[in-house]
Amino acid sequence: MKTKQKPGRRQWLAVWAAVALLAALSIFLRAGAGDRKLYINEDATWHVLHTMDSYDGIPAAEHLCLPLVTENDDARGIVWGATVPDKDGLFYYTSFWPLGFLAPYLFANITGLPHLPGTLFAFNAVLYVAGAVLLALAMARLFRDRLNPALATFCAAGLYLFQPEILQSQGWVYWHHGLNQVLLLAQFYCFACFDKRVGKIGFFVLCLLTPLAEYTGFVANAGYCLALVCLGPPQFWGMRGTRKKASFAKSRLLPALGAGLLTVAAGAGTLWHYTRKLPFKQVWRAMFQSYEARGDAEQGPLLQLAVMYFRSFRWLWLILALLAVAVLVLPGARRALPGVFKACWKWLLLAVFPLLENLILRQHTMEYSYARMKGILPLAVLFLMLAACLWQAESFKRTGDKKPNWQRAVAGALAALTLLGGAAGLAQYLAVPNRYVEVIDYKDENAALAAQVLAAYPRDESFYGFNLPTRGYTNHLWAGGVMELCKAEDTLAEAQARGKAYAVQLAGEWATSNTYRFTGAVVYDAQSGAVLAEFFA
């Protein structure tokens, strides 16, 4: 049974006002992180800040907006993690592509905000709200014939806003997956609007952009191509009657071919972009090695991967279980289930398809929780499928402006479940410590030590080395490139070779997410090797 209820302007206004209030509340409660908290995988944030600093330190005509990790001319030739150098001593990151670095860099330049974690939190807040809105719009469109669209909007947005995984991955930890999440949802929404010209154009534009943010885009595009060829365009999927069918080639093959060619263009264009600075073999080898490391199935068994997905969306799984029981118990809802499934199974399959990337790059999915955030889309579709079954559990007739009592009760129950699940998810995330955040006490000490050393021995006169691997946090804290895995004699030799007056040997202890606790620094005269000063945290 289909419903034709169209929410009034006041109902829409109330729903979007509630969504805006919930989003603002979530952002406000998470904004005051300070430096005494450490977020799991926080090094991703510092990595991006390091690249943003590098974009300012090296002319764009030289780095060509590739993922640069060489902050300035003094840092040329300093190795940084799994990177590839060019002939001028600039090092580039190849595991993830430029768009995920350029987007926050442009955001910082447009807003005038400094290159600090708070700026990436603000950028993530924009992505966070955009993701909730896009998911809500997509669900309202898909279920407009089987559920009150305003109710679908509220539930979808509410589910998105309070999942701990999304609070983490579009909060104080920024990495490409947060941007990719929004692009994936926008692509899904545009595909749902494929019968409209603007939807079709938006879909094809996103077929080009989404792979540029993160590798899930390639898998998602493959899913759309298969769906177009095997199932046809979505306007023929029975969500609102049937349309006049065009020829197989025109309605299926040509759109699938266009999406496929744009996907190939995204990959080939990025490789060409890299080869303007680096040899093709080096780039390809680095990317393949990254793929091998992140796709190590032995480090990510399927059962463990399933457990991690359960942990990422724990409260939503519980809500889905409750709804499934209700659908199976209520005869009317059970009778509605085949019709809802028939209308929606294609969308559910399409929403699940991008998750195949997590099976391919399984180790990466296990180690980095933000790789699992895209699971919200199929779970939201499943939630609203069950909600639609309950909504249609009893037939009804509208009388004037009165709403049917059954559907009023269902709407209240669904809204309550959404809010209760959201409150539980937010409470789980804000509890300190938890599986996403822990309390620390060394970031202020690190900043004080760095300020003291840098004031006495400026970067342009000194060469800095560190006894542990360096990542974004280290380079950002010490205002430039720091040579990793250096003993004092190595730092001294490099300072002499570069004609520096001082060699600064940093010492530290390993800490979570490569945000090391720095214990001190020893400063040497680069020419004589004599110790000039010692600093302690």
Side-chain angles (χ1 to χ4, degrees), residues 220-511:
N221 282 2
Y224 285 112
C225 290
L226 288 172
L228 284 167
V229 172
C230 300
L231 304 174
Q235 59 263 38
F236 301 150
W237 289 9
M239 293 301 292
R240 181 174 284 186
T242 57
R243 304 288 195 273
K244 183 179 178 181
K245 293 188 178 182
S247 67
F248 181 84
K250 184 177 180 180
S251 66
R252 300 192 181 204
L253 288 184
L254 285 180
L257 181 61
L261 289 175
L262 288 168
T263 306
V264 172
T270 301
L271 286 174
W272 172 81
H273 188 192
Y274 271 101
T275 55
R276 294 182 64 192
K277 291 293 294 180
L278 305 168
F280 175 80
K281 287 185 177 180
Q282 276 187 290
V283 174
W284 182 256
R285 186 183 305 114
M287 290 183 178
F288 186 73
Q289 288 173 346
S290 175
Y291 164 78
E292 283 188 315
R294 289 179 167 89
D296 189 349
E298 293 182 1
Q299 295 188 38
L302 284 175
L303 180 59
Q304 189 177 357
L305 181 62
V307 170
M308 297 303 289
Y309 261 107
F310 174 78
R311 290 178 180 174
S312 291
F313 300 98
R314 181 181 306 172
W315 294 105
L316 183 50
W317 286 115
L318 178 60
I319 292 172
L320 289 173
L322 292 174
L323 289 178
V325 169
V327 169
L328 293 175
V329 168
L330 294 172
R334 194 164 61 244
R335 286 193 296 270
L337 182 58
V340 172
F341 181 80
K342 181 179 179 181
C344 303
W345 70 268
K346 299 172 185 177
W347 292 103
L348 180 60
L349 185 63
L350 193 64
V352 169
F353 199 89
L355 272 63
L356 293 177
E357 186 262 352
N358 290 164
L359 297 179
I360 299 170
L361 300 180
R362 203 178 305 170
Q363 184 272 341
H364 182 262
T365 308
M366 296 294 302
E367 186 171 353
Y368 303 107
S369 62
Y370 41 64
R372 301 188 293 274
M373 66 187 298
K374 53 183 172 283
I376 186 61
L377 178 56
L379 292 177
V381 174
L382 186 57
F383 176 96
L384 290 170
M385 286 175 65
L386 295 171
C389 293
L390 293 172
W391 186 261
Q392 300 177 33
E394 290 187 8
S395 59
F396 64 91
K397 293 182 179 179
R398 296 192 66 181
T399 304
D401 291 330
K402 278 191 173 183
K403 295 182 179 179
N405 290 333
W406 171 255
Q407 293 192 335
R408 182 181 300 171
V410 170
L414 291 173
L417 274 177
T418 300
L419 291 175
L420 287 173
L426 184 61
Q428 176 189 339
Y429 181 75
L430 293 177
V432 177
N434 60 41
R435 58 184 303 268
Y436 293 110
V437 59
E438 60 185 74
V439 178
I440 59 172
D441 59 1
Y442 58 80
K443 279 189 179 179
D444 288 343
E445 294 176 359
N446 284 351
L449 176 65
Q452 186 180 8
V453 176
L454 288 168
Y457 300 96
R459 290 307 307 249
D460 58 350
E461 301 176 16
S462 313
F463 182 81
Y464 281 63
F466 186 39
N467 63 310
L468 293 172
T470 61
R471 292 295 180 268
Y473 175 72
T474 299
N475 287 275
H476 190 87
L477 178 68
W478 294 96
V482 176
M483 183 73 84
E484 64 180 358
L485 301 173
C486 272
K487 297 179 180 179
E489 53 267 30
D490 300 325
T491 302
L492 188 59
E494 191 67 31
Q496 292 172 348
R498 292 171 179 261
K500 300 295 182 180
Y502 310 106
V504 181
Q505 178 65 30
L506 304 175
E509 300 172 353
W510 193 276

Side-chain angles (χ1 to χ4, degrees), residues 22-82:
L22 291 174
L25 176 65
S26 171
I27 293 170
F28 173 77
L29 291 175
R30 292 179 293 130
D35 287 337
R36 295 190 179 279
K37 290 182 181 179
L38 177 66
Y39 291 84
I40 304 305
N41 295 323
E42 185 180 307
D43 189 54
T45 297
W46 294 104
H47 182 165
V48 174
L49 290 172
H50 176 59
T51 294
M52 291 165 63
D53 289 341
S54 300
Y55 283 156
D56 280 348
I58 301 293
E62 192 169 357
H63 61 68
L64 303 178
C65 296
L66 290 169
L68 183 68
V69 295
T70 303
E71 285 196 329
N72 46 48
D73 287 332
D74 275 349
R76 290 176 187 266
I78 296 180
V79 179
W80 192 93

Side-chain angles (χ1 to χ4, degrees), residues 80-161:
W80 192 93
T83 54
V84 179
D86 67 8
K87 59 182 178 60
D88 299 314
L90 300 178
F91 283 77
Y92 301 91
Y93 192 66
T94 59
S95 296
F96 285 85
W97 294 356
L99 185 60
F101 298 101
L102 284 172
Y105 177 72
L106 293 175
F107 173 81
N109 282 358
I110 291 169
T111 58
L113 294 172
H115 295 177
L116 293 173
T119 298
L120 291 187
F121 179 83
F123 180 64
N124 257 340
V126 174
L127 297 179
Y128 174 68
V129 173
V133 170
L134 286 167
L135 181 64
L137 291 174
M139 295 303 101
R141 180 167 179 81
L142 293 188
F143 291 91
R144 65 192 183 277
D145 292 336
R146 301 182 179 276
L147 193 63
N148 184 293
L151 177 62
T153 296
F154 178 79
C155 290
L159 292 176
Y160 188 93
L161 289 173

